[in-house]
Amino acid sequence: MNSVHHRTATVDGYEIFYREAGHADAPVIVLLHGYPTSSFMFRELIPLLADKYHVIAPDHLGFGRSDAPLVGEFTYTFDALTELTSGLLDQLGLDRYALYVQDYGAPIGWRLALQHPERISAIVTQNGNGYEDGFVESFWADVWAYGANPGPDTEPAVRAALGVDAIRWQYVHGVPDPSLVSPDTWEHDFALVSREGNDEVQLALFRDYQNNRPLYPLLHEFLRTSGVPVLAVWGRNDEIFGPAGALAFARDAKDAEVHLVNGGHFLLESHLDVVAGYLRGFLGRVLG
C-alpha cells in the first residue's frame, strides 16, 4: 500500500488541506472533489494511483479540513476557489498535470485548463458536467431559480440540500446495492456542512453555479484545439448529472473515452475498482 501524506499549505493567507502520494518526479494527477464532500472522497482511490503517479487532492476552501471563513470574510465563488487551487499548485511547483474532476471540481478544473491550457496533460471527468447536456431538470430547476432570484421564495428548496437526508440521497441514489456505500460518507459530509456559518458558504456557491455555464463554449473550444485526451467515467443512474453529460464530451474531445457505469453520483463509493481500472488504463495510454 502506498503511503498517503496529509498536508496543509498557506495560500493567500488561508490554510488549504491536501492529500499527497506518489513519487515527486512521476506524472501528476490532481483530484478535485465535489459538493458536499472533500478530498475524503478520494481516500481509497489515491493509493491505487500512487504507485505510478504523483497524486494531489486538495480540499476547497469551506470544505473538508481547509479553512472555512464566513461569507462576510471571503467571497465564495468558483472563480475564487479556482484562484486558491491554482495558487496551491503553483506553490507545489506543478506546471504539468492531469485533472480528475467530479461535481464542483469540474468548473474549478475547467477554469484551470482555460487559464493554463499548456499545463493540462489529460482530463478525467467523473460525473462532472462541461455541457448543458446532462443537467437533470428535477434537481437543477430549484438551483437555477435560486441563482436567478435569491430570496425567501427560492431559498428553502436549495437549503434542503444541506440536510442529512439530501446528502445521503446523493450517495445512494442510483446505486444498485446501497449497502456498498458506507454511512460514514454522508455523516462525515453532513457534520462539516453543519458547522456554524457553513450553510451560508454553501448557499453562496449554489447562487454562483449559474456562472459556470458561460464557460462551456470556451471549454469546448479548448477540447477541440488542444487535443487533450479525455476520459468520462460516469454513474449512468446519476439524477444530478445524467449520462448525456458524459456522452457530450465525445462531440469536442478527439477520441474521447466514455464509460457509463451502473452506479450513481459518487461512483467511487460503490465502483472503486471499476473506476480505478478505467483510470489506470487511460492514464497509462496517454501519459506513458
Side-chain angles (χ1 to χ4, degrees):
M1 182 68 70
N2 296 289
S3 298
V4 179
H5 301 272
H6 304 83
R7 310 187 191 279
T8 59
T10 302
V11 182
D12 293 342
Y14 298 103
E15 290 296 304
I16 301 298
F17 174 86
Y18 64 99
R19 301 170 197 256
E20 182 173 20
H23 296 289
D25 58 353
V28 179
I29 180 166
V30 177
L31 312 179
L32 299 178
H33 70 82
Y35 168 85
T37 186
S38 62
S39 62
F40 181 76
M41 71 170 282
F42 299 118
R43 66 198 178 281
E44 295 180 344
L45 178 64
I46 293 171
L48 301 181
L49 299 176
D51 61 330
K52 291 188 176 181
Y53 304 101
H54 181 191
V55 187
I56 301 291
D59 289 355
H60 309 314
L61 195 77
F63 294 81
R65 295 185 175 276
S66 287
D67 280 350
L70 300 176
V71 293
E73 302 165 345
F74 184 85
T75 301
Y76 283 89
T77 64
F78 286 91
D79 283 340
L81 296 185
T82 301
E83 288 308 305
L84 291 171
T85 305
S86 181
L88 172 66
L89 300 180
D90 286 347
Q91 193 173 129
L92 297 177
L94 305 179
D95 57 8
R96 184 74 170 165
Y97 46 82
L99 288 171
Y100 179 121
V101 300
Q102 194 265 352
D103 192 87
Y104 275 11
I108 294 171
W110 308 151
R111 285 170 169 82
L112 292 173
L114 293 172
Q115 290 172 6
H116 294 288
E118 74 285 352
R119 296 185 179 182
I120 309 304
S121 59
I123 289 175
V124 179
T125 174
Q126 184 254 297
N127 298 78
N129 242 37
Y131 290 79
E132 294 293 334
D133 310 59
F135 285 114
V136 178
E137 183 64 18
S138 60
F139 180 89
W140 287 97
D142 291 333
V143 178
W144 303 143
Y146 180 57
N149 186 29
D153 293 333
T154 56
E155 183 179 305
V158 294
R159 183 176 281 276
L162 306 177
V164 67
D165 288 341
I167 294 174
R168 177 185 181 277
W169 174 85
Q170 287 205 37
Y171 276 97
V172 301
H173 83 270
V175 181
D177 182 0
S179 71
L180 292 172
V181 183
S182 170
D184 295 339
T185 55
W186 62 81
E187 291 175 358
H188 171 272
D189 291 354
F190 176 65
L192 293 173
V193 168
S194 299
R195 290 174 293 178
E196 184 176 0
N198 198 259
D199 58 338
E200 295 298 332
V201 170
Q202 305 305 331
L203 291 174
L205 291 171
F206 288 165
R207 291 193 297 271
D208 190 55
Y209 198 93
Q210 62 187 340
N211 295 319
N212 296 323
R213 298 167 80 180
L215 293 176
Y216 292 166
L218 302 176
L219 169 66
H220 306 161
E221 179 66 15
F222 163 71
L223 295 176
R224 287 192 298 269
T225 58
S226 68
V228 65
V230 173
L231 167 67
V233 57
W234 214 269
R236 67 162 67 243
N237 308 321
D238 190 354
E239 296 177 34
I240 300 172
F241 297 118
L247 297 170
F249 282 91
R251 290 208 296 265
D252 295 298
K254 182 180 180 182
D255 299 325
E257 183 177 335
V258 179
H259 299 281
L260 301 179
V261 180
N262 189 25
H265 188 65
F266 284 111
L267 197 55
L268 293 177
E269 300 302 331
S270 59
H271 292 77
L272 172 68
D273 290 342
V274 173
V275 175
Y278 285 135
L279 182 54
R280 286 176 63 89
F282 171 76
L283 293 177
R285 287 190 295 276
V286 302
L287 299 185

